[in-house]
Amino acid sequence: MQLIIVTGMSGAGKSRVIDSLEDIGFFCVDNMTPQLIPTFVKILSDSTENHEKVAFVADIRLGSSFQDLFSALEELRDMKIKYSILFIDAENDVIVKRYQETRRKHPLQNGDNNNDLLAIINNEREMLKKAKNIADYVIDTSLMSNAMLKERVSELFLNDISDSLNVNVESFGYKFGIPRDSDLVFDVRCLPNPFYVDELKHHTGIEKPVRDFVMEHEESQELAAKLCDLIDYLLPLYRTEGKSQLTISVGCTGGRHRSVVFAELLKEEVEKQGYKVSAYHRDIDR
């Protein structure tokens, strides 16, 4: 099990970190009472479900029980459970600005009074000093965009950075409508149609005769090369921007022949570039 304990300053971006960890396959539990962490880890270890990646958030919202984190870590070591501590930090003035912008109350603020926010932040920093000192990783989010933070989390906890982007290639028929979740849509109705070839009409683009017919034409080969070049260019940009899911839709008239052939071609190209990819042919059986 890859176990991460996420902690750090309120307002520094722990929620964004958890979102990023979930996007790369972690099972995440926010605001976990430290005393329960060893028990929960054992439950997950004994479960029939696959929980190879797990992350817990434990922070000052827990009040005085946050100090139980250190005894919980001792218990994990006794259980021979390996873990990493990720501490999320930011400069005081940045945290103050974030609270002012969101108008949310700091966890250490009492009631409705207007405690000095900077003094509260300094108090929290002192309370978390020990946790920061033993952290395996410290991320300062002061100058980080959401995309930059996700990139940093992926760099730390993914063996292959390209795993942070999951790609789905979908074929469809325009007569049945464009898929609503499409990020990129390509129209291949300009290509020769196997539907008008009697021996191919009742077959699909999954089958070799249909694929051979579509790809034997020069315009199909040129379009395939241009689309593959475009995909190769775009995928790193989407990943760098922090996108975790990308749907590429390819359409022809009925969604059985040309679009299926090109969806499979693009799936192969995405695989070649090292990204996680799946293919779905929405209208192939219509």
Side-chain angles (χ1 to χ4, degrees), residues 1-4 17-29 44 50-55 150 153-154 157-160 163-166 244-245 276:
M1 179 185 292
Q2 185 180 5
L3 175 61
I4 302 172
V17 168
I18 284 298
D19 290 343
S20 298
L21 288 171
E22 287 182 337
D23 284 342
I24 61 175
F26 276 81
F27 174 79
C28 300
V29 182
L44 293 178
N50 182 17
H51 293 301
E52 294 182 354
K53 298 179 176 182
V54 179
K150 180 174 181 177
V153 170
S154 298
F157 301 112
L158 273 181
N159 293 326
D160 186 345
D163 287 345
S164 62
L165 176 63
N166 293 312
S244 60
Q245 300 284 338
K276 288 183 178 179

Side-chain angles (χ1 to χ4, degrees), residues 207-235:
E207 299 169 81
K208 188 175 185 299
V210 174
R211 180 165 178 156
D212 289 346
F213 173 85
V214 172
M215 296 311 299
E216 72 183 5
H217 296 86
E218 183 177 352
E219 55 265 48
S220 298
Q221 297 168 18
E222 290 181 359
L223 180 58
K226 291 181 184 298
L227 290 182
C228 287
D229 283 345
L230 179 60
I231 293 301
D232 292 349
Y233 175 75
L234 289 176
L235 291 181

Side-chain angles (χ1 to χ4, degrees), residues 19-20 23 30 43 51 54 105-106 115 123-124 144 149 161 167 182 191 218 229 234 236 246-247 269 273 281 286:
D19 290 343
S20 298
D23 284 342
D30 192 10
I43 292 172
H51 293 301
V54 179
K105 187 174 71 172
H106 191 284
N115 301 52
N123 182 35
E124 180 185 21
M144 283 188 172
L149 179 56
I161 189 65
V167 182
S182 302
L191 302 176
E218 183 177 352
D229 283 345
L234 289 176
L246 180 71
T247 298
E269 183 64 25
Q273 299 303 318
H281 304 298
R286 288 187 184 242

